[in-house]
């Protein structure tokens, strides 16, 4: 920055700004605190520097704990290998179709139902959605008064006017869904929605650790009391889905003896501590074996897979009575049943497939925030379509079941 004809050091502190198309001029160096959630993010942030002629990009990364350091190394190595996460492909984007249905109707100020359905059917974005499914969704929008039927035409309904006339209608992106945190009637602050937001877990907020007593999903309110149990608080940061390749690379690093010349001395020490911690698991096949830490108080299963698959495994475990809490940063499931019960219930989710859609539907009905966490418009779909969308965008049952089918938990010291 030039002030009084003298060059002065100039620093910008930001969150995700370095991923946006905002021109902030020439950048000499980028400093990243903790790992990015994707290689794509890492590339965007590194690429902000070194844009002057004959200059190189420079990034300094500071990790605040060992797992963030491990993930940072994994992302960097994958970046060097040329890997970047592919875009997520949604075969049947019912929520986008719903938004487009309202947009077309508003744009025409009403039109024949047959013409509306024809336009949606011919749209290549919805080529995998059957005409009968489109008709069912349109009928549902009429039923909930987002659309109104007048003879053979549709117009925007009374409830629909409230939706389409809002400035938020033009965006497909959902703003962060925060929960108010309250202690004895006093507002402590807010936290983003997370599947980890459950009773008896601890959270860190306003420089104190609190124990969750009750979660009201409808009111988006969390009742807490001061925590006195010394239990580690759950982590809410880094809200981004981690690709399975990143976790697989982290697993590979743990069981490698390779040293990395881009690490400083303290980082080398921290990685070696993690490697030593996991040396108690006799892992010979990283495609199937996963560490299962057994202690007197709990079990911890380290899945080393992506966020979407982890959410699915957690759901399948819950479905068959394996109580658990996901710690996403470490890709670990804290199992709340005994080792014997865990063994007895392992694989029993296969016998419950007929109940799968019903269980997902029950989850949506008891916790509407889950659908709002990834889709702005899905809440207006019929519940059966919300269920199908959740299976496409939030869960990954095919990959989770494939991993579980081949998974062989390896216990520490065994």
């Amino acid at each position: 920055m030039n002030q009084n004809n003298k060059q002065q050091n100039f620093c910008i502190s930001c969150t995700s700004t370095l991923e946006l198309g905002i021109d902030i001029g020439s950048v000499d160096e980028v400093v990243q605190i903790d790992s990015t959630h994707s290689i794509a993010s890492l590339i965007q942030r590194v690429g902000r520097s070194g844009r002057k002629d004959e200059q190189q990009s420079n990034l300094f990364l500071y990790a605040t704990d060992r797992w963030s350091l491990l993930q940072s190394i994994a992302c960097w190595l994958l970046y060097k290998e040329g890997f970047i996460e592919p875009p997520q492909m949604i075969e049947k984007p019912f929520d986008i179709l719903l938004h487009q249905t309202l947009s077309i109707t508003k744009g025409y100020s009403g039109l024949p139902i047959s013409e509306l359905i024809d336009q949606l059917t011919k749209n290549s974005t919805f080529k995998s959605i059957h005409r009968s499914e489109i008709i069912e969704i349109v009928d549902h929008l009429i039923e909930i008064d987002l659309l109104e039927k007048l003879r053979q035409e549709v117009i925007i309904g009374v409830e629909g006017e409230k939706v389409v006339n809002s400035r938020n209608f033009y965006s497909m992106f959902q703003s962060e869904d925060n929960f108010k945190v309250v202690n004895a009637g006093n507002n402590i602050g807010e936290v983003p929605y997370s599947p980890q937001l459950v009773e008896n877990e601890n959270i860190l907020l306003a420089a104190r650790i609190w124990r969750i007593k009750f979660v009201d999903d409808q009111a988006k309110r969390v009742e807490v009391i001061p925590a006195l149990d010394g239990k580690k608080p759950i982590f809410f940061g880094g809200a981004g889905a981690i690709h399975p390749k990143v976790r697989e690379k982290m697993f590979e690093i743990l069981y490698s003896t390779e040293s990395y010349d881009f690490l400083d001395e303290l980082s080398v020490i921290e990685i070696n501590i993690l490697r030593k911690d996991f040396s108690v698991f006799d892992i010979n096949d990283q495609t199937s074996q996963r560490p299962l830490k057994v202690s007197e108080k709990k079990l911890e299963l380290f899945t080393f897979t992506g966020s979407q698959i982890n959410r699915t495994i957690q759901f399948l475990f819950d479905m068959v009575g394996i109580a658990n809490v996901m710690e996403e940063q470490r890709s670990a499931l804290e199992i709340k049943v005994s080792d014997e019960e865990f063994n007895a219930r392992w694989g029993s989710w296969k016998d419950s497939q007929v109940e799968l859609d019903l269980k997902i539907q029950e989850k949506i009905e008891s916790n509407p925030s889950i659908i709002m966490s990834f889709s702005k418009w899905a809440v207006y779909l019929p519940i059966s379509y919300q269920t199908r969308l959740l299976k496409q965008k939030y869960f990954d049952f095919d990959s989770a079941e494939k991993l579980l089918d081949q998974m062989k938990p390896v216990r520490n010291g065994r």
Side-chain angles (χ1 to χ4, degrees), residues 17-37:
T17 305
L18 291 184
E19 293 185 34
L20 304 176
I22 299 172
D23 185 7
I24 53 176
S26 178
V27 177
D28 297 320
E29 294 173 349
V30 175
V31 178
Q32 171 74 29
I33 307 299
D34 284 325
S35 175
T36 57
H37 67 268

Side-chain angles (χ1 to χ4, degrees), residues 178-386:
N178 286 338
F179 280 58
K180 289 184 178 179
V181 180
V182 178
N183 168 244
N186 297 315
N187 188 25
I188 305 300
E190 294 186 353
V191 294
Y193 168 76
S194 166
Q196 298 169 285
L197 203 61
V198 294
E199 294 174 15
N200 296 321
E201 287 300 313
N202 289 352
I203 61 173
L204 177 63
L205 190 64
R208 291 191 64 178
I209 298 178
W210 307 89
R211 184 182 179 191
I212 298 174
K213 292 296 293 179
F214 178 72
V215 179
D216 187 337
D217 290 298
Q218 296 290 342
K220 294 183 173 58
R221 178 185 174 99
V222 181
E223 294 281 350
V224 297
I225 59 173
L228 303 173
D229 53 13
K231 186 178 181 181
K232 182 180 178 181
I234 58 178
F235 176 72
F236 283 108
I242 311 298
H243 192 275
K245 274 240 179 230
V246 175
R247 293 279 167 65
E248 290 164 10
K249 179 62 75 172
M250 291 167 65
F251 195 20
E252 179 186 316
I253 293 166
L254 281 178
Y255 287 90
S256 168
T257 57
E258 187 176 349
S259 57
Y260 307 106
D261 58 8
F262 51 82
L263 296 181
D264 64 10
E265 185 177 349
L266 286 176
S267 297
V268 171
I269 292 171
E270 294 299 318
I271 287 300
N272 285 337
I273 290 173
L274 265 180
R275 283 172 167 173
K276 184 177 180 182
D277 289 344
F278 277 83
S279 66
V280 298
F281 303 99
D282 188 17
I283 302 292
N284 300 306
D285 181 6
Q286 292 187 10
T287 60
S288 61
Q289 294 178 317
R290 290 296 185 273
L292 177 63
K293 186 177 181 180
V294 181
S295 63
E296 291 182 6
K297 295 184 178 180
K298 62 183 179 181
L299 306 175
E300 282 184 292
L301 176 65
F302 293 87
T303 61
F304 288 106
T305 191
S307 303
Q308 202 170 350
I309 300 174
N310 274 336
R311 286 195 292 259
T312 312
I313 293 174
Q314 182 179 34
F315 180 83
L316 291 172
F317 281 9
D318 284 337
M319 192 172 72
V320 298
I322 302 176
N324 67 91
V325 174
M326 170 59 69
E327 190 176 333
E328 178 61 24
Q329 188 186 25
R330 298 191 303 146
S331 191
L333 283 157
E334 184 178 322
I335 309 299
K336 302 287 190 176
V337 300
S338 67
D339 194 12
E340 292 75 15
E341 187 175 351
F342 181 59
N343 273 333
R345 293 181 184 271
W346 183 267
S348 57
W349 48 82
K350 296 178 184 178
D351 303 325
S352 306
Q353 290 303 296
V354 291
E355 301 177 17
L356 185 59
D357 282 2
L358 179 60
K359 292 292 184 182
I360 295 174
Q361 183 173 320
E362 289 174 356
K363 188 173 184 68
I364 294 170
E365 291 173 337
S366 65
N367 183 8
S369 297
I370 193 171
I371 202 82
M372 296 293 290
S373 68
F374 70 87
S375 174
K376 186 174 182 177
W377 303 105
V379 67
Y380 299 113
L381 289 166
I383 189 67
S384 61
Y385 285 84
Q386 292 184 35

Side-chain angles (χ1 to χ4, degrees), residues 27-92:
V27 177
D28 297 320
E29 294 173 349
V30 175
V31 178
Q32 171 74 29
I33 307 299
D34 284 325
S35 175
T36 57
H37 67 268
S38 68
I39 291 91
S41 293
L42 178 64
I43 292 170
Q44 288 171 315
R45 297 180 190 194
V46 172
R48 279 290 190 165
S49 65
R51 292 188 176 182
K52 290 181 181 178
D53 291 340
E54 299 181 358
Q55 281 195 349
Q56 289 184 329
S57 297
N58 289 303
L59 179 135
F60 296 89
L61 193 143
Y62 293 85
T64 58
D65 61 55
R66 290 168 190 160
W67 284 92
S68 175
L69 174 63
L70 181 63
Q71 185 172 314
S72 300
I73 297 171
C75 286
W76 183 251
L77 293 177
L78 287 170
Y79 164 63
K80 300 272 281 185
E81 292 171 13
F83 174 79
I84 186 169
E85 297 88 353
Q88 184 183 26
M89 303 301 291
I90 305 300
E91 184 183 9
K92 295 192 175 189

